[in-house]
mmCIF file of all heavy atoms in Angstrom:
data_model
loop_
_atom_site.group_PDB
_atom_site.id
_atom_site.type_symbol
_atom_site.label_atom_id
_atom_site.label_comp_id
_atom_site.label_asym_id
_atom_site.label_seq_id
_atom_site.Cartn_x
_atom_site.Cartn_y
_atom_site.Cartn_z
ATOM 1 N N VAL A 65 -0.302 -3.686 -6.466
ATOM 2 C CA VAL A 65 0.980 -4.190 -6.957
ATOM 3 C C VAL A 65 1.359 -3.456 -8.251
ATOM 4 O O VAL A 65 2.515 -3.053 -8.437
ATOM 5 C CB VAL A 65 0.926 -5.717 -7.171
ATOM 6 C CG1 VAL A 65 2.168 -6.218 -7.906
ATOM 7 C CG2 VAL A 65 0.768 -6.422 -5.833
ATOM 8 N N GLN A 66 0.387 -3.249 -9.123
ATOM 9 C CA GLN A 66 0.654 -2.508 -10.363
ATOM 10 C C GLN A 66 1.084 -1.083 -10.057
ATOM 11 O O GLN A 66 2.029 -0.569 -10.663
ATOM 12 C CB GLN A 66 -0.590 -2.509 -11.252
ATOM 13 C CG GLN A 66 -0.917 -3.864 -11.822
ATOM 14 C CD GLN A 66 -2.293 -3.919 -12.457
ATOM 15 O OE1 GLN A 66 -3.194 -3.154 -12.131
ATOM 16 N NE2 GLN A 66 -2.468 -4.847 -13.381
ATOM 17 N N TYR A 67 0.410 -0.438 -9.120
ATOM 18 C CA TYR A 67 0.769 0.936 -8.769
ATOM 19 C C TYR A 67 2.159 0.977 -8.135
ATOM 20 O O TYR A 67 2.952 1.883 -8.425
ATOM 21 C CB TYR A 67 -0.270 1.560 -7.827
ATOM 22 C CG TYR A 67 0.044 3.003 -7.544
ATOM 23 C CD1 TYR A 67 -0.285 3.991 -8.468
ATOM 24 C CD2 TYR A 67 0.721 3.379 -6.386
ATOM 25 C CE1 TYR A 67 0.040 5.316 -8.234
ATOM 26 C CE2 TYR A 67 1.047 4.694 -6.152
ATOM 27 C CZ TYR A 67 0.701 5.671 -7.074
ATOM 28 O OH TYR A 67 1.043 6.974 -6.845
ATOM 29 N N ALA A 68 2.478 0.007 -7.296
ATOM 30 C CA ALA A 68 3.803 -0.044 -6.679
ATOM 31 C C ALA A 68 4.880 -0.122 -7.762
ATOM 32 O O ALA A 68 5.909 0.567 -7.675
ATOM 33 C CB ALA A 68 3.909 -1.229 -5.722
ATOM 34 N N GLY A 69 4.655 -0.943 -8.766
ATOM 35 C CA GLY A 69 5.617 -1.059 -9.853
ATOM 36 C C GLY A 69 5.780 0.237 -10.624
ATOM 37 O O GLY A 69 6.894 0.624 -10.990
ATOM 38 N N ALA A 70 4.675 0.932 -10.849
ATOM 39 C CA ALA A 70 4.728 2.191 -11.598
ATOM 40 C C ALA A 70 5.340 3.317 -10.779
ATOM 41 O O ALA A 70 6.068 4.160 -11.306
ATOM 42 C CB ALA A 70 3.325 2.583 -12.056
ATOM 43 N N SER A 71 5.064 3.331 -9.490
ATOM 44 C CA SER A 71 5.505 4.448 -8.644
ATOM 45 C C SER A 71 6.849 4.194 -7.970
ATOM 46 O O SER A 71 7.516 5.128 -7.535
ATOM 47 C CB SER A 71 4.469 4.726 -7.553
ATOM 48 O OG SER A 71 4.433 3.656 -6.614
ATOM 49 N N GLY A 72 7.209 2.930 -7.835
ATOM 50 C CA GLY A 72 8.425 2.588 -7.105
ATOM 51 C C GLY A 72 8.217 2.540 -5.599
ATOM 52 O O GLY A 72 9.169 2.380 -4.841
ATOM 53 N N ASP A 73 6.971 2.658 -5.141
ATOM 54 C CA ASP A 73 6.663 2.618 -3.711
ATOM 55 C C ASP A 73 6.285 1.191 -3.322
ATOM 56 O O ASP A 73 5.134 0.790 -3.451
ATOM 57 C CB ASP A 73 5.530 3.585 -3.385
ATOM 58 C CG ASP A 73 5.171 3.634 -1.902
ATOM 59 O OD1 ASP A 73 5.688 2.799 -1.123
ATOM 60 O OD2 ASP A 73 4.364 4.490 -1.524
ATOM 61 N N PHE A 74 7.271 0.454 -2.829
ATOM 62 C CA PHE A 74 7.057 -0.939 -2.462
ATOM 63 C C PHE A 74 6.941 -1.128 -0.957
ATOM 64 O O PHE A 74 7.239 -2.199 -0.428
ATOM 65 C CB PHE A 74 8.181 -1.812 -3.022
ATOM 66 C CG PHE A 74 8.177 -1.878 -4.523
ATOM 67 C CD1 PHE A 74 9.039 -1.085 -5.265
ATOM 68 C CD2 PHE A 74 7.294 -2.710 -5.187
ATOM 69 C CE1 PHE A 74 9.023 -1.131 -6.655
ATOM 70 C CE2 PHE A 74 7.278 -2.765 -6.574
ATOM 71 C CZ PHE A 74 8.141 -1.968 -7.312
ATOM 72 N N ASN A 75 6.480 -0.104 -0.248
ATOM 73 C CA ASN A 75 6.288 -0.212 1.192
ATOM 74 C C ASN A 75 5.376 -1.412 1.459
ATOM 75 O O ASN A 75 4.303 -1.530 0.862
ATOM 76 C CB ASN A 75 5.652 1.078 1.727
ATOM 77 C CG ASN A 75 5.583 1.126 3.232
ATOM 78 O OD1 ASN A 75 5.292 0.134 3.887
ATOM 79 N ND2 ASN A 75 5.832 2.289 3.786
ATOM 80 N N PRO A 76 5.771 -2.308 2.365
ATOM 81 C CA PRO A 76 4.975 -3.522 2.591
ATOM 82 C C PRO A 76 3.576 -3.282 3.149
ATOM 83 O O PRO A 76 2.736 -4.182 3.072
ATOM 84 C CB PRO A 76 5.822 -4.353 3.555
ATOM 85 C CG PRO A 76 6.876 -3.459 4.075
ATOM 86 C CD PRO A 76 7.029 -2.324 3.119
ATOM 87 N N ILE A 77 3.265 -2.104 3.655
ATOM 88 C CA ILE A 77 1.890 -1.848 4.116
ATOM 89 C C ILE A 77 0.905 -1.867 2.957
ATOM 90 O O ILE A 77 -0.296 -1.968 3.161
ATOM 91 C CB ILE A 77 1.753 -0.528 4.906
ATOM 92 C CG1 ILE A 77 2.074 0.685 4.027
ATOM 93 C CG2 ILE A 77 2.600 -0.555 6.166
ATOM 94 C CD1 ILE A 77 1.796 2.030 4.676
ATOM 95 N N HIS A 78 1.433 -1.798 1.726
ATOM 96 C CA HIS A 78 0.580 -1.787 0.538
ATOM 97 C C HIS A 78 0.420 -3.152 -0.111
ATOM 98 O O HIS A 78 -0.316 -3.287 -1.084
ATOM 99 C CB HIS A 78 1.119 -0.790 -0.489
ATOM 100 C CG HIS A 78 1.261 0.600 0.035
ATOM 101 N ND1 HIS A 78 0.206 1.300 0.586
ATOM 102 C CD2 HIS A 78 2.331 1.409 0.128
ATOM 103 C CE1 HIS A 78 0.634 2.487 0.975
ATOM 104 N NE2 HIS A 78 1.913 2.581 0.711
ATOM 105 N N TRP A 79 1.098 -4.194 0.421
ATOM 106 C CA TRP A 79 0.975 -5.506 -0.202
ATOM 107 C C TRP A 79 1.109 -6.684 0.764
ATOM 108 O O TRP A 79 0.692 -7.784 0.440
ATOM 109 C CB TRP A 79 1.979 -5.678 -1.342
ATOM 110 C CG TRP A 79 3.412 -5.506 -0.927
ATOM 111 C CD1 TRP A 79 4.119 -4.333 -0.927
ATOM 112 C CD2 TRP A 79 4.299 -6.499 -0.444
ATOM 113 N NE1 TRP A 79 5.396 -4.544 -0.471
ATOM 114 C CE2 TRP A 79 5.546 -5.868 -0.173
ATOM 115 C CE3 TRP A 79 4.185 -7.868 -0.207
ATOM 116 C CZ2 TRP A 79 6.639 -6.555 0.324
ATOM 117 C CZ3 TRP A 79 5.284 -8.560 0.286
ATOM 118 C CH2 TRP A 79 6.501 -7.904 0.537
ATOM 119 N N ASN A 80 1.634 -6.458 1.972
ATOM 120 C CA ASN A 80 1.877 -7.546 2.906
ATOM 121 C C ASN A 80 0.932 -7.422 4.107
ATOM 122 O O ASN A 80 1.132 -6.577 4.980
ATOM 123 C CB ASN A 80 3.341 -7.508 3.356
ATOM 124 C CG ASN A 80 3.718 -8.658 4.251
ATOM 125 O OD1 ASN A 80 2.984 -9.035 5.152
ATOM 126 N ND2 ASN A 80 4.906 -9.213 4.015
ATOM 127 N N GLU A 81 -0.081 -8.255 4.131
ATOM 128 C CA GLU A 81 -1.110 -8.184 5.170
ATOM 129 C C GLU A 81 -0.523 -8.366 6.573
ATOM 130 O O GLU A 81 -0.868 -7.629 7.500
ATOM 131 C CB GLU A 81 -2.178 -9.244 4.896
ATOM 132 C CG GLU A 81 -3.349 -9.198 5.833
ATOM 133 C CD GLU A 81 -4.433 -10.180 5.435
ATOM 134 O OE1 GLU A 81 -4.571 -10.484 4.230
ATOM 135 O OE2 GLU A 81 -5.150 -10.632 6.330
ATOM 136 N N ARG A 82 0.359 -9.337 6.723
ATOM 137 C CA ARG A 82 0.965 -9.585 8.039
ATOM 138 C C ARG A 82 1.714 -8.347 8.525
ATOM 139 O O ARG A 82 1.533 -7.899 9.655
ATOM 140 C CB ARG A 82 1.920 -10.791 7.970
ATOM 141 C CG ARG A 82 2.585 -11.120 9.299
ATOM 142 C CD ARG A 82 3.612 -12.248 9.184
ATOM 143 N NE ARG A 82 4.521 -12.141 8.049
ATOM 144 C CZ ARG A 82 5.582 -11.305 8.001
ATOM 145 N NH1 ARG A 82 5.853 -10.524 9.015
ATOM 146 N NH2 ARG A 82 6.361 -11.289 6.947
ATOM 147 N N PHE A 83 2.518 -7.758 7.665
ATOM 148 C CA PHE A 83 3.284 -6.571 8.046
ATOM 149 C C PHE A 83 2.352 -5.405 8.379
ATOM 150 O O PHE A 83 2.549 -4.706 9.386
ATOM 151 C CB PHE A 83 4.251 -6.164 6.926
ATOM 152 C CG PHE A 83 5.106 -4.987 7.287
ATOM 153 C CD1 PHE A 83 6.281 -5.169 7.993
ATOM 154 C CD2 PHE A 83 4.726 -3.697 6.938
ATOM 155 C CE1 PHE A 83 7.068 -4.076 8.344
ATOM 156 C CE2 PHE A 83 5.503 -2.609 7.288
ATOM 157 C CZ PHE A 83 6.683 -2.789 7.994
ATOM 158 N N ALA A 84 1.337 -5.180 7.542
ATOM 159 C CA ALA A 84 0.397 -4.080 7.767
ATOM 160 C C ALA A 84 -0.254 -4.208 9.146
ATOM 161 O O ALA A 84 -0.357 -3.218 9.891
ATOM 162 C CB ALA A 84 -0.663 -4.052 6.673
ATOM 163 N N LYS A 85 -0.658 -5.401 9.503
ATOM 164 C CA LYS A 85 -1.297 -5.615 10.807
ATOM 165 C C LYS A 85 -0.291 -5.468 11.949
ATOM 166 O O LYS A 85 -0.640 -4.953 13.014
ATOM 167 C CB LYS A 85 -1.990 -6.979 10.838
ATOM 168 C CG LYS A 85 -3.240 -6.990 9.953
ATOM 169 C CD LYS A 85 -3.949 -8.312 9.980
ATOM 170 C CE LYS A 85 -5.221 -8.211 9.125
ATOM 171 N NZ LYS A 85 -5.985 -9.451 9.135
ATOM 172 N N GLU A 86 0.951 -5.883 11.733
ATOM 173 C CA GLU A 86 1.978 -5.738 12.772
ATOM 174 C C GLU A 86 2.254 -4.273 13.118
ATOM 175 O O GLU A 86 2.620 -3.965 14.241
ATOM 176 C CB GLU A 86 3.283 -6.412 12.336
ATOM 177 C CG GLU A 86 3.258 -7.914 12.442
ATOM 178 C CD GLU A 86 4.538 -8.570 11.911
ATOM 179 O OE1 GLU A 86 5.453 -7.852 11.449
ATOM 180 O OE2 GLU A 86 4.606 -9.808 11.957
ATOM 181 N N VAL A 87 2.070 -3.380 12.144
ATOM 182 C CA VAL A 87 2.317 -1.956 12.409
ATOM 183 C C VAL A 87 1.027 -1.219 12.797
ATOM 184 O O VAL A 87 1.006 0.008 12.857
ATOM 185 C CB VAL A 87 3.033 -1.255 11.236
ATOM 186 C CG1 VAL A 87 4.406 -1.862 10.997
ATOM 187 C CG2 VAL A 87 2.199 -1.260 9.969
ATOM 188 N N GLY A 88 -0.040 -1.978 13.051
ATOM 189 C CA GLY A 88 -1.258 -1.382 13.587
ATOM 190 C C GLY A 88 -2.337 -1.033 12.589
ATOM 191 O O GLY A 88 -3.355 -0.436 12.959
ATOM 192 N N LEU A 89 -2.173 -1.407 11.351
ATOM 193 C CA LEU A 89 -3.212 -1.152 10.348
ATOM 194 C C LEU A 89 -4.204 -2.313 10.341
ATOM 195 O O LEU A 89 -3.851 -3.435 10.697
ATOM 196 C CB LEU A 89 -2.579 -0.983 8.965
ATOM 197 C CG LEU A 89 -1.681 0.237 8.808
ATOM 198 C CD1 LEU A 89 -0.888 0.151 7.508
ATOM 199 C CD2 LEU A 89 -2.509 1.517 8.857
ATOM 200 N N PRO A 90 -5.437 -2.058 9.912
ATOM 201 C CA PRO A 90 -6.426 -3.143 9.891
ATOM 202 C C PRO A 90 -6.155 -4.183 8.804
ATOM 203 O O PRO A 90 -6.606 -5.321 8.904
ATOM 204 C CB PRO A 90 -7.748 -2.424 9.631
ATOM 205 C CG PRO A 90 -7.372 -1.127 9.016
ATOM 206 C CD PRO A 90 -6.005 -0.775 9.531
ATOM 207 N N ASP A 91 -5.427 -3.795 7.761
ATOM 208 C CA ASP A 91 -5.131 -4.669 6.630
ATOM 209 C C ASP A 91 -4.226 -3.866 5.697
ATOM 210 O O ASP A 91 -3.812 -2.749 6.016
ATOM 211 C CB ASP A 91 -6.430 -5.074 5.913
ATOM 212 C CG ASP A 91 -6.325 -6.417 5.199
ATOM 213 O OD1 ASP A 91 -5.222 -6.776 4.750
ATOM 214 O OD2 ASP A 91 -7.357 -7.105 5.085
ATOM 215 N N VAL A 92 -3.962 -4.399 4.536
ATOM 216 C CA VAL A 92 -3.211 -3.678 3.508
ATOM 217 C C VAL A 92 -3.992 -2.419 3.140
ATOM 218 O O VAL A 92 -5.228 -2.435 3.081
ATOM 219 C CB VAL A 92 -3.024 -4.601 2.275
ATOM 220 C CG1 VAL A 92 -2.576 -3.832 1.059
ATOM 221 C CG2 VAL A 92 -2.050 -5.712 2.602
ATOM 222 N N ILE A 93 -3.265 -1.329 2.899
ATOM 223 C CA ILE A 93 -3.934 -0.077 2.523
ATOM 224 C C ILE A 93 -3.403 0.423 1.177
ATOM 225 O O ILE A 93 -2.268 0.132 0.796
ATOM 226 C CB ILE A 93 -3.757 1.029 3.589
ATOM 227 C CG1 ILE A 93 -2.284 1.410 3.759
ATOM 228 C CG2 ILE A 93 -4.388 0.598 4.909
ATOM 229 C CD1 ILE A 93 -2.060 2.660 4.612
ATOM 230 N N ALA A 94 -4.245 1.170 0.489
ATOM 231 C CA ALA A 94 -3.856 1.768 -0.791
ATOM 232 C C ALA A 94 -2.850 2.891 -0.550
ATOM 233 O O ALA A 94 -2.858 3.540 0.500
ATOM 234 C CB ALA A 94 -5.085 2.311 -1.518
ATOM 235 N N HIS A 95 -2.003 3.113 -1.520
ATOM 236 C CA HIS A 95 -1.058 4.220 -1.484
ATOM 237 C C HIS A 95 -1.836 5.540 -1.443
ATOM 238 O O HIS A 95 -2.834 5.705 -2.155
ATOM 239 C CB HIS A 95 -0.198 4.236 -2.751
ATOM 240 C CG HIS A 95 0.561 2.981 -3.008
ATOM 241 N ND1 HIS A 95 -0.037 1.809 -3.428
ATOM 242 C CD2 HIS A 95 1.876 2.719 -2.915
ATOM 243 C CE1 HIS A 95 0.889 0.881 -3.587
ATOM 244 N NE2 HIS A 95 2.064 1.409 -3.276
ATOM 245 N N GLY A 96 -1.360 6.482 -0.662
ATOM 246 C CA GLY A 96 -2.012 7.787 -0.596
ATOM 247 C C GLY A 96 -2.036 8.489 -1.939
ATOM 248 O O GLY A 96 -3.054 9.066 -2.338
ATOM 249 N N MET A 97 -0.930 8.440 -2.664
ATOM 250 C CA MET A 97 -0.884 9.106 -3.970
ATOM 251 C C MET A 97 -1.812 8.428 -4.973
ATOM 252 O O MET A 97 -2.378 9.087 -5.844
ATOM 253 C CB MET A 97 0.550 9.137 -4.517
ATOM 254 C CG MET A 97 1.523 9.970 -3.695
ATOM 255 S SD MET A 97 1.048 11.706 -3.615
ATOM 256 C CE MET A 97 0.706 11.838 -1.871
ATOM 257 N N PHE A 98 -1.997 7.125 -4.830
ATOM 258 C CA PHE A 98 -2.951 6.421 -5.685
ATOM 259 C C PHE A 98 -4.360 6.929 -5.414
ATOM 260 O O PHE A 98 -5.128 7.197 -6.335
ATOM 261 C CB PHE A 98 -2.870 4.902 -5.451
ATOM 262 C CG PHE A 98 -3.926 4.128 -6.191
ATOM 263 C CD1 PHE A 98 -3.740 3.788 -7.518
ATOM 264 C CD2 PHE A 98 -5.103 3.755 -5.567
ATOM 265 C CE1 PHE A 98 -4.717 3.084 -8.215
ATOM 266 C CE2 PHE A 98 -6.083 3.050 -6.248
ATOM 267 C CZ PHE A 98 -5.891 2.723 -7.582
ATOM 268 N N THR A 99 -4.690 7.061 -4.132
ATOM 269 C CA THR A 99 -6.014 7.550 -3.747
ATOM 270 C C THR A 99 -6.241 8.955 -4.298
ATOM 271 O O THR A 99 -7.298 9.255 -4.855
ATOM 272 C CB THR A 99 -6.164 7.520 -2.216
ATOM 273 O OG1 THR A 99 -5.919 6.181 -1.753
ATOM 274 C CG2 THR A 99 -7.551 7.960 -1.780
ATOM 275 N N MET A 100 -5.237 9.818 -4.147
ATOM 276 C CA MET A 100 -5.333 11.174 -4.707
ATOM 277 C C MET A 100 -5.556 11.142 -6.218
ATOM 278 O O MET A 100 -6.373 11.897 -6.755
ATOM 279 C CB MET A 100 -4.062 11.970 -4.427
ATOM 280 C CG MET A 100 -3.923 12.530 -3.050
ATOM 281 S SD MET A 100 -2.407 13.526 -2.890
ATOM 282 C CE MET A 100 -2.825 14.986 -3.846
ATOM 283 N N ALA A 101 -4.812 10.279 -6.896
ATOM 284 C CA ALA A 101 -4.906 10.194 -8.354
ATOM 285 C C ALA A 101 -6.292 9.742 -8.805
ATOM 286 O O ALA A 101 -6.837 10.257 -9.787
ATOM 287 C CB ALA A 101 -3.836 9.252 -8.898
ATOM 288 N N GLN A 102 -6.854 8.782 -8.091
ATOM 289 C CA GLN A 102 -8.197 8.331 -8.449
ATOM 290 C C GLN A 102 -9.209 9.460 -8.275
ATOM 291 O O GLN A 102 -10.068 9.671 -9.126
ATOM 292 C CB GLN A 102 -8.596 7.103 -7.628
ATOM 293 C CG GLN A 102 -7.742 5.883 -7.877
ATOM 294 C CD GLN A 102 -7.663 5.515 -9.346
ATOM 295 O OE1 GLN A 102 -8.664 5.309 -10.006
ATOM 296 N NE2 GLN A 102 -6.454 5.448 -9.866
ATOM 297 N N ALA A 103 -9.100 10.185 -7.168
ATOM 298 C CA ALA A 103 -10.058 11.258 -6.893
ATOM 299 C C ALA A 103 -10.007 12.353 -7.955
ATOM 300 O O ALA A 103 -11.049 12.817 -8.429
ATOM 301 C CB ALA A 103 -9.802 11.839 -5.503
ATOM 302 N N ILE A 104 -8.820 12.765 -8.360
ATOM 303 C CA ILE A 104 -8.725 13.877 -9.314
ATOM 304 C C ILE A 104 -9.216 13.483 -10.704
ATOM 305 O O ILE A 104 -9.542 14.341 -11.527
ATOM 306 C CB ILE A 104 -7.290 14.460 -9.357
ATOM 307 C CG1 ILE A 104 -7.271 15.865 -9.979
ATOM 308 C CG2 ILE A 104 -6.351 13.537 -10.105
ATOM 309 C CD1 ILE A 104 -7.979 16.916 -9.185
#
């Protein structure tokens, strides 16, 4: 939620479990750019 606020990426796959599962994901997932940022 903090990253969504900072990045402006409010895609519901990153915060809404029901929506994430409806689109075929196992659960809420982290933003790709967040994952990249952590790694670097």
